[in-house]
Each structure stands twice: as C-alpha cells, then as structure tokens.
Amino acid sequence: MTENHHAPKRLIVVSNRLPFNVKIEDGTLQYAGSAGGVATGLASYLAGLHQRANALREYVWVGWPGATIDAAFEEQLKREAREQYNSHPVFLTDEEMDQFYFGFCNSTIWPLFHYFPSYTAYQEKQWQQYRHVNEVFCKGVLEVLRPDDLVWVHDYHLMLLPRLLKQAMPSLQVGFFLHIPFPSFEIFRLLPGSWRRDILDGLLGADLIGFHTFDYTQHFLQCVLRILGLEHNMGQILTPDRVVKVETFPMGIDYEKFSTAANSPEVKQEAQKLRQPLGDVKIILSVDRLDYTKGILNRLAAFEILLDTHAEYRGKVVLVMNVVPSRIGVYEYDKMKRQIEELVGKINGRFSSIEWTPVIYLYRNTPFETLVAHYAISDVALVTPLRDGMNLVAKEYVASRTEGTGVLILSEMAGAVKELGEAITINPNNREEISDAMKQALEIPLDEQKSRIRTMQLRLRRYNVNRWAQDFTHELMQTEQVQNKFCAKLMNFAAKEELIDAYRSRSRRILLLDYDGTLTPLVSHPAAARPTQELLQLITSLATVPGNSVVLISGRDKETLQAWFGALPVSLAAEHGTWIRESGEEWKMPKQLTSDWKAQIRAILEIYADRLPGAMIEEKDFSLAWHYRTADPEQGLMLARELTDHLVTFTANIDLQVMRGHKVIEVRGAGVNKGTAAQYLLAKDQFDFILSLGDDWTDEDMFGAMPEWAYTIRVGMAGTHARFNLRTPRDVLRLLETIAKVSAEIESPEKTLSETR
Ligand code: GDG
C-alpha cells in the first residue's frame, strides 16, 4: 500500500533542542541558527516537506529554545517561534536544565551509552529531574497536538516521552529515533533496576523505534528480552497491548547541500584562501565537537608517531583540527580541552619550523561555507571516535569531494563504518594503526582514491537524509496497519453489547475459562498465581446464577485446581483435560492414558534442566512439563528450541504430543487436549450460550472445538482462531464483572440496565 492512501497528517518533531537558539539581548529576543547534526539534517527534510507527494504536509517542531526565558517573554517567543520557525518552545528553568541536561543526559546516559562506565554518574536527584523534564516535554507536545498527528521523538534526552504521550493519548502514533549507540546488555544493566526498566518501558510507548545500525537494534531487543522478559519476532515486540516495531535506519546527510556548496564560487574562493598560505603540503582534516568519545587525543598521539617515525613527512603534512566548543563547564570536557591543548603545544613545539606548523588547532564554531571549504582542501579526513552513533562528518567529507579524490580514515567504532566500507578503517585505541593508516592514506594513488570515493558517494547520494526521514515516517504510518491487523478482532463496545444481550436472552449458559494468563496475569513462579478472594467471589457469583455452568479449564495438575477451586460450585478440567471433575462429582479421566513413557522423557528433560539454571520439571499424573520462566531468557529460549526438536524427534513413533506454551514445554498423551475436554463438557447439555476464554495456543484447541456462534476470546494481541481478542486479564475481569452485574439484574429485574454497567 502506498502512502497516498493515508489522509494528510501533520508531523510533530520533538527534540531536546529547537533548530534555533534564542537569547535576550538589550531587552529583545535574538535568534540564531543552531548547528548540530540532528537539527541540521532534520531541518532540510522538513523544509522540503510541503513539496513532496507525501502523506505528511505540515510540521511543528517542539523543543527547548537554547536559553532560560524570562516569563515576560514567553508569549512573544511562542508567537515568533510559531510564525518564523514552525516551532513550539518548551521552557525549562536553570535548575531543571542543570540536573536534566548536564546531569542525567550528559553525565549518565551519554557516557554509559558510549561505553564509558567509569565516567558515568548515578544520581537519584538527576534521574528524578530527567523524569520531570520528560513530563514537561509531554505537556509541551500536548499544547500543540491534534488527535491525528504523527509524533516523532528524537534522542536520548527524551526516552520516557513516548510512554507519556501514549498514556495521554492511546490512539496517537509515536515514533522514536536514537542518535547515539544503544549499548549491549552488559553495559545497559549498570543502570539501577528501576531506571533501566522505566527507560525501556518509556521507549516501548512508541510504535516504531529506530536505531542507526543493526547492532544497536539487536542490543535493544536483547535488553527488552532480558530486562522486561518480552520476546520479539523479526523485530516486532508483542507487548501486552500493542505491537512495537524495532528497526534500523542509518541516518544520511543532505548530500546535495554539500556537493552543491563544494562547487559554489564562494566555497571555491574560500578554499583557495585557506589553502594558499599552507604551501605545498598534504592536509589531514578532523572536525568534531569537543567530546571524549571522539578520540581526539589518540588522533594527535598517532600524528606524533607519524612525524616521529617518518621524518620524510615533516614539513610535508599538516593536521587541521577543528574542535567545536561543547558542554563547557563540565569537568571531563574542561579537562580534555586542557589535555588537547597541551598535546598540540607539545607536537608543535617538537616539530615546527619557521615555515611549517604541523598541527593547526581551531577551537571554535566554523560557518558552513568554511566547513565545506575545509572538506574540499583536505587530502585526508581523519575520523577516529572511540564510539559514535553514526558520525555525519565522515559522510559530509565524502559528499564534498566533488572531484572524486580524497581518502577517508574511519574508526570501526562509528556507526557510519557499516555503510562506508571503502574507507580505511582503524581501531581508534591503536595509535600505531592510526599512524599507519595516515601513511597509507597519504600514498594512495589517485585512481584508487577516486574509485573508493565514487562508490561511497553513490551510496550516500541515494540514502540521503530525506530518504532516511521518509523511510522512518513511512514505516511509522505503516505501523497503524500492523496494529489494525492485530486489533481487527479486538472486542469493541458493540461486540461486548451483543455478547451481553445474548447472555441475557439465553438460559443454558456455559463459561469455559482458562486460568493462568486469562483470569490472572502470568507470574514468574506458578505457585505465586494463587487466586485472590475477589476472584473466587466473582467466579462463585457467576457459577450460582440459575442456568449457568462455569468450567475452569487449565494445564495445571488436579491437586492445585482442587486446592484452589475445589470448594466452588464449578467444574474443573486439569492437565489440559486429562482429568475432569464435574461440579459436585469426583475426578475422572474421560480417556484412559498411560504414563509408562514418563521415565524415558523425564531423563531427557533432566539433561536440559541441568544445563539451564532456573529451569524446573513439573510432574503431573499423565504429563511432564519443563518450565523455564525464571531462567535466563535468551539461554532459555535457545534450549527450549533445542529441547522441542529433541522431543519431537524422540516421540515421532510414540502416541505422545509435545506442546510449547508460555515459557513451558509439555509432553503428554496424544488425543487429549482442551478441545476434547471442552467437547466432553459441552455434550452434557443443550447449551445455547457459550463463552470460552484463553490466552495461549493450548486454548486454541478449545476455540477450535466450539460451534461458530460461540463467543471465543483470546487474551493478548496474538493471532487466533477465536472470534475476538481482549488485551489483558484485567479486561477479562471487567467483562466477567459486567456479566455478573447483568446476572444480578436478571435475578432481580427491577434494576435498570444503565445502573448495572
Ligand atoms: C550525534 C551522534 C550521530 C560540526 N562542527 C561544525 C559543524 N558541525 C556539524 C557537522 C555535522 C554535525 O555538526 C556533527 O555530527 P556528528 O554526527 O559528527 O556528531 P554529533 O554531534 O555527536 O551527533 C552522532 C548524529 O547525532 C546524528 O544522528 O551521527 O553519532 O553523536 O553535521 O557538519 N557545523 C558547522 N560548523 C562547525 O564548526 N557549521
């Protein structure tokens, strides 16, 4: 299906920073453009939005305007931001900004997600402020939001926002993109338990979550599995109420902007101006924000090694190092700035001559044209981050090389390396290797330079920033259809009314209810799922209505069912129907089964239980179950697959069935299941109303055995043979409570319907 099938929507972009900076000077608001890869890239996509044949036409950008704004100016800023920048400012106090931005964002998340655990601070106060500021952003978004808008949240500052937005407006479509790496589980788990759960849960409020590389996507899925216990299927996570898609979208650049600029007379002139005073030297360039993740010190050290070990390059090569001021006042950054300056001083002191300075160090913000001129005059770009989500500088250099020459040296720790295989890749911790790479780069013949650069250019031109943003927003709009597919069977108000009407007008009613996952949420230890007093009362009240039969139909053993529900006037089916106890009668077996196979199967299950800490074997009269709910989720999943395979092969010629449920594998006699049990009980009377509720695939046997007109309902958003889905056990209880109230009304008809619902 193409985008044109969608009605035009408005895109709400949310990021920490707005695309402009504002300050109050001489009593007036002054605006300036804001640099930064995220803002620049998105701005160029948004600027072209209205021209494209796209389902998205308009946008509003929500974010912080770059300064604390005096209350007296707020209204004016709101108006001007709307009129001039399509933007809506979120106001934060100095204290909030300090604890949120410098605190949690840049002293906790930034270092940790870039694999600098020793730089990471863990301060409760900052975490609380992070939560608070995410709420402030939520309010800001709600101020401009219309119900059919599409929201796209950006980056690590706002990881709790998707959930907050979803809570405020459940039907809203929300996307999230992370611009920095998502670390592996071993790093992510260093966050305190409630923080890491809240962050994952916050992100899962989105319908689509995007990362730059496949690795980050896998890391995220792994953390969701290990920390929240949610599995995924090809990147689709089935949460209790929704499907969340997780995908890789490598961010591109505005390719044309750089290639056009590089060819423009202004930039060419600027390039000449920069190049001339340097004389006949080769230029190696680096451009980055001052940040410990960028590997600036290693790069300098490597350059020193080059000059040390290859005297022939002295006087022949210059390192032009652009460093953009960033996070001034933060201890690590100030310290690093001093170290860089010392090392630059040392190298220049050791090697300079009257006519040659080896390192030209520029600590400032460079205007765009000058930046492109730098790209254009440099023979080599040296990009050496220790970790980098993507790194756009590497891509911009390639795009600016319109003559096709130039060499890119790129760290294998940058996301960009996945797309730029023709670069010379280096390990940024290995200074000798960087130095060797510089030597290699300075000597690569022109035709090889061209063939490498051209290949990369073709790729970057195609997958540019517009493509990236279009792919993401397109995919986000598609998630509505995925949700709809899953929601098509979701029991709506009308279906519920119809069910209640049918219930009221019939007189021979049977309710077949699964227990775990249907009447009560799944818990990690089966014994902890004991029914509450309220639930027992609810079941009793349903079972004592004249004309009602209630059956609890479960995979549990008969001892447990007897202990929990034995005193209730209900029928019980245990071990998926192996045992049945009709109301007021004794337990019996509708079909004779044997258990002489158990010793052999148990031996197999034990091998697998020994291999997996946390796994346990449950023995029932005519079945054996291997549970792995409390085991390591990934290892558990792997061994469960292996075990299923083993068992299926082993039982091929035996009258046994192997069944996989929620974190359990069960083996039992063939020919008995919840379907046969349900049929047995249905045959007891001429029922004219059937309600059948279950949550996993063992309940599908039951749904399959029902007449078409029965009300079959599967709990959870999975594909099913049942006629309807309900999201959670809580929804089931609500339905059963409504039925109980209607029953009371049937028994004492003077009550009106409206009072009972
Ligand atoms: C984050 C992630 C990811 C730099 N100096 C000047 C200047 N810039 C522009 C560059 C480039 C951008 O800033 C820097 O982008 P990077 O990607 O290199 O790095 P971060 O700022 O750390 O960005 C990163 C990115 O988000 C996007 O997802 O790639 O991994 O850390 O566009 O050109 N621009 C101007 N003057 C400068 O002095 N005009």
Side-chain angles (χ1 to χ4, degrees):
M1 191 173 280
T2 66
E3 286 173 337
N4 298 332
H5 286 83
H6 300 282
K9 282 182 180 258
R10 209 170 56 144
L11 179 65
I12 310 291
V13 170
V14 197
S15 66
N16 177 48
R17 299 292 291 269
L18 282 175
F20 61 84
N21 277 318
V22 72
K23 58 183 179 205
I24 301 173
E25 251 178 27
D26 306 328
T28 59
L29 291 170
Q30 310 270 337
Y31 298 85
S34 98
V38 179
T40 320
L42 270 171
S44 87
Y45 163 72
L46 295 172
L49 205 56
H50 62 284
Q51 298 161 351
R52 264 176 239 123
N54 193 314
L56 293 167
R57 288 287 155 77
E58 283 174 63
Y59 74 92
V60 179
W61 196 324
V62 180
W64 185 65
T68 308
I69 303 299
D70 190 298
F73 287 95
E74 283 186 4
E75 283 313 309
Q76 186 193 345
L77 176 57
K78 274 191 191 171
R79 192 180 61 246
E80 291 177 357
R82 185 176 61 237
E83 288 166 0
Q84 294 167 32
Y85 296 93
N86 271 351
S87 292
H88 183 70
V90 171
F91 300 110
L92 297 173
T93 65
D94 285 342
E95 161 77 3
E96 284 166 342
M97 209 51 199
D98 187 49
Q99 299 285 322
F100 160 74
Y101 182 72
F102 291 108
F104 197 74
C105 292
N106 290 327
S107 308
T108 305
I109 296 298
W110 179 271
L112 192 68
F113 281 33
H114 285 90
Y115 294 72
F116 282 83
S118 60
Y119 284 31
T120 306
Y122 304 92
Q123 296 210 13
E124 183 62 30
K125 197 171 157 208
Q126 296 181 345
W127 164 244
Q128 290 307 337
Q129 200 60 252
Y130 182 79
R131 297 173 57 114
H132 166 71
V133 169
N134 271 259
E135 278 163 16
V136 175
F137 269 83
C138 181
K139 277 202 203 100
V141 174
L142 293 177
E143 280 164 15
V144 294
L145 194 68
R146 299 182 200 145
D148 60 351
D149 285 342
L150 200 68
V151 181
W152 188 4
V153 180
H154 289 265
D155 228 1
Y156 64 105
H157 317 86
L158 300 172
M159 292 190 285
L160 305 178
L161 185 57
R163 172 68 66 203
L164 294 170
L165 288 168
K166 204 61 153 200
Q167 275 164 354
M169 201 186 277
S171 63
L172 189 67
Q173 277 176 286
V174 184
F176 180 90
F177 189 85
L178 187 71
H179 289 267
I180 64 173
F182 196 93
S184 71
F185 170 69
E186 281 305 327
I187 291 286
F188 187 72
R189 73 188 301 192
L190 295 174
L191 290 172
S194 65
W195 302 8
R196 61 189 186 212
R197 273 193 300 278
D198 286 357
I199 288 172
L200 294 179
D201 184 62
L203 291 170
L204 289 180
D207 303 293
L208 176 65
I209 305 175
F211 298 95
H212 280 308
T213 74
F214 179 76
D215 293 355
Y216 310 155
T217 304
Q218 293 307 310
H219 290 161
F220 175 72
L221 289 169
Q222 192 183 33
C223 287
V224 167
L225 173 65
R226 301 187 73 112
I227 294 168
L228 300 181
L230 295 172
E231 289 169 16
H232 75 95
N233 184 6
M234 310 258 291
Q236 294 198 356
I237 303 175
L238 279 177
T239 72
D241 61 342
R242 257 165 343 107
V243 186
V244 177
K245 275 191 106 179
V246 185
E247 264 188 62
T248 307
F249 301 89
M251 183 177 178
I253 56 167
D254 187 347
Y255 189 93
E256 296 304 324
K257 186 174 155 200
F258 284 89
S259 61
T260 311
N263 279 332
S264 73
E266 301 81 37
V267 169
K268 286 199 157 146
Q269 208 180 357
E270 175 87 17
Q272 219 176 7
K273 216 172 78 197
L274 291 168
R275 174 90 236 194
Q276 219 168 22
L278 295 176
D280 185 21
V281 293
K282 296 256 186 184
I283 300 174
I284 302 179
L285 174 76
S286 77
V287 177
D288 15 41
R289 272 185 314 100
L290 179 79
D291 200 291
Y292 49 81
T293 61
K294 301 285 184 184
I296 301 175
L297 285 168
N298 284 1
R299 177 188 309 162
L300 276 171
F303 188 56
E304 188 177 16
I305 295 175
L306 180 79
L307 297 180
D308 242 340
T309 53
H310 293 279
E312 69 271 23
Y313 286 122
R314 293 183 201 159
K316 297 280 163 43
V317 49
V318 169
L319 174 62
V320 177
M321 213 166 75
N322 282 270
V323 175
V324 186
S326 178
R327 301 174 199 171
I328 298 159
V330 176
Y331 174 74
E332 269 86 16
Y333 290 77
D334 292 348
K335 186 171 122 198
M336 216 187 81
K337 177 166 180 282
R338 277 196 308 278
Q339 288 172 330
I340 292 172
E341 285 166 2
E342 273 167 28
L343 193 48
V344 169
K346 181 182 157 218
I347 297 172
N348 283 345
R350 274 189 70 191
F351 298 104
S352 289
S353 63
I354 298 275
E355 60 278 4
W356 173 66
T357 309
V359 184
I360 299 178
Y361 169 63
L362 307 167
Y363 177 69
R364 61 174 163 233
N365 241 309
T366 313
F368 174 72
E369 277 74 20
T370 314
L371 179 75
V372 182
H374 273 140
Y375 289 144
I377 61 166
S378 300
D379 304 279
V380 179
L382 183 55
V383 183
T384 61
L386 301 172
R387 272 304 149 167
D388 212 336
M390 172 53 75
N391 195 294
L392 300 178
V393 168
K395 294 186 169 180
E396 292 166 4
Y397 174 73
V398 172
S400 307
R401 304 300 301 175
T402 46
E403 312 213 323
T405 57
V407 184
L408 173 65
I409 300 178
L410 182 57
S411 162
E412 58 194 27
M413 305 297 173
V417 79
K418 310 279 179 203
E419 294 160 88
L420 301 176
E422 292 76 13
I424 301 180
T425 57
I426 48 101
N427 177 330
N429 297 304
N430 187 341
R431 295 163 180 198
E432 283 72 23
E433 192 184 338
I434 305 175
S435 161
D436 289 348
M438 281 192 251
K439 181 171 180 311
Q440 189 193 341
L442 291 168
E443 284 165 15
I444 291 189
L446 273 185
D447 50 346
E448 190 182 340
Q449 291 184 19
K450 283 188 178 164
S451 106
R452 290 183 183 219
I453 289 276
R454 292 283 184 225
T455 313
M456 294 191 276
Q457 284 179 339
L458 278 178
R459 208 174 294 134
L460 295 180
R461 175 179 296 222
R462 229 182 6 247
Y463 205 86
N464 62 14
V465 71
N466 285 329
R467 215 6 233 295
W468 168 77
Q470 273 169 17
D471 278 5
F472 186 94
T473 48
H474 179 74
E475 197 66 41
L476 179 55
M477 286 186 273
Q478 297 286 314
T479 60
E480 192 177 19
Q481 288 164 29
V482 177
Q483 305 286 10
N484 285 347
K485 202 179 97 205
F486 276 92
C487 291
K489 288 189 168 187
L490 196 64
M491 188 166 228
N492 59 19
F493 184 74
K496 208 165 162 180
E497 290 280 282
E498 189 206 300
L499 184 152
I500 301 286
D501 286 344
Y503 176 85
R504 191 186 293 114
S505 61
R506 312 281 152 73
S507 54
R508 290 177 168 183
R509 298 170 291 242
I510 184 164
L511 281 55
L512 298 137
L513 312 173
D514 167 54
Y515 181 64
D516 294 270
T518 300
L519 296 180
T520 181
L522 290 172
V523 290
S524 55
H525 211 276
R530 174 177 287 280
T532 62
Q533 211 47 46
E534 292 79 48
L535 179 59
L536 292 175
Q537 260 160 21
L538 177 62
I539 296 173
T540 310
S541 72
L542 289 168
T544 47
V545 175
N548 276 8
S549 299
V550 174
V551 184
L552 292 171
I553 185 161
S554 163
R556 288 192 179 253
D557 61 40
K558 67 181 193 305
E559 287 70 28
T560 308
L561 291 190
Q562 181 69 34
W564 287 355
F565 306 107
L568 271 45
V570 298
S571 298
L572 302 174
E575 290 191 37
H576 299 102
T578 305
W579 290 102
I580 289 181
R581 187 211 76 169
E582 286 170 66
S583 183
E585 293 181 20
E586 292 301 307
W587 286 99
K588 58 178 176 260
M589 283 175 72
K591 179 181 173 195
Q592 281 312 309
L593 293 171
T594 59
S595 57
D596 49 5
W597 51 270
K598 272 184 17 200
Q600 267 177 304
I601 297 291
R602 182 177 250 288
I604 299 175
L605 300 186
E606 271 166 5
I607 295 172
Y608 284 82
D610 288 343
R611 282 171 64 190
L612 183 69
M616 64 164 198
I617 299 169
E618 183 191 6
E619 177 154 1
K620 304 181 228 180
D621 291 340
F622 294 95
S623 67
L624 283 171
W626 187 82
H627 293 272
Y628 60 102
R629 242 179 244 175
T630 58
D632 177 294
E634 272 178 296
Q635 212 190 346
L637 208 59
M638 217 171 67
L639 277 186
R641 283 199 197 112
E642 220 181 287
L643 174 59
T644 312
D645 201 40
H646 191 152
L647 289 170
V648 168
T649 318
F650 189 80
T651 58
N653 301 318
I654 318 174
D655 198 19
L656 289 179
Q657 52 182 335
V658 180
M659 319 197 319
R660 277 188 69 176
H662 277 307
K663 308 242 171 177
V664 58
I665 296 172
E666 187 153 346
V667 185
R668 59 188 160 80
V672 170
N673 56 42
K674 286 187 180 177
T676 59
Q679 269 166 344
Y680 177 87
L681 290 159
L682 287 180
K684 298 280 164 180
D685 200 348
Q686 292 281 335
F687 292 109
D688 54 8
F689 174 90
I690 303 174
L691 172 63
S692 152
L693 275 154
D695 79 306
D696 73 14
W697 74 268
T698 65
D699 299 305
E700 293 292 327
D701 289 332
M702 168 165 74
F703 302 142
M706 298 289 138
E708 249 174 61
W709 51 265
Y711 292 91
T712 47
I713 305 177
R714 173 142 177 183
V715 184
M717 300 312 291
T720 178
H721 289 112
R723 281 172 63 196
F724 302 102
N725 282 103
L726 277 176
R727 289 183 199 273
T728 62
R730 194 185 311 166
D731 296 332
V732 172
L733 294 185
R734 242 178 255 147
L735 175 68
L736 293 180
E737 279 158 11
T738 310
I739 294 179
K741 282 184 190 162
V742 172
S743 311
E745 173 213 337
I746 298 172
E747 287 173 69
S748 50
E750 67 276 8
K751 276 197 187 172
T752 66
L753 185 61
S754 60
E755 278 172 339
T756 61
R757 272 184 222 165

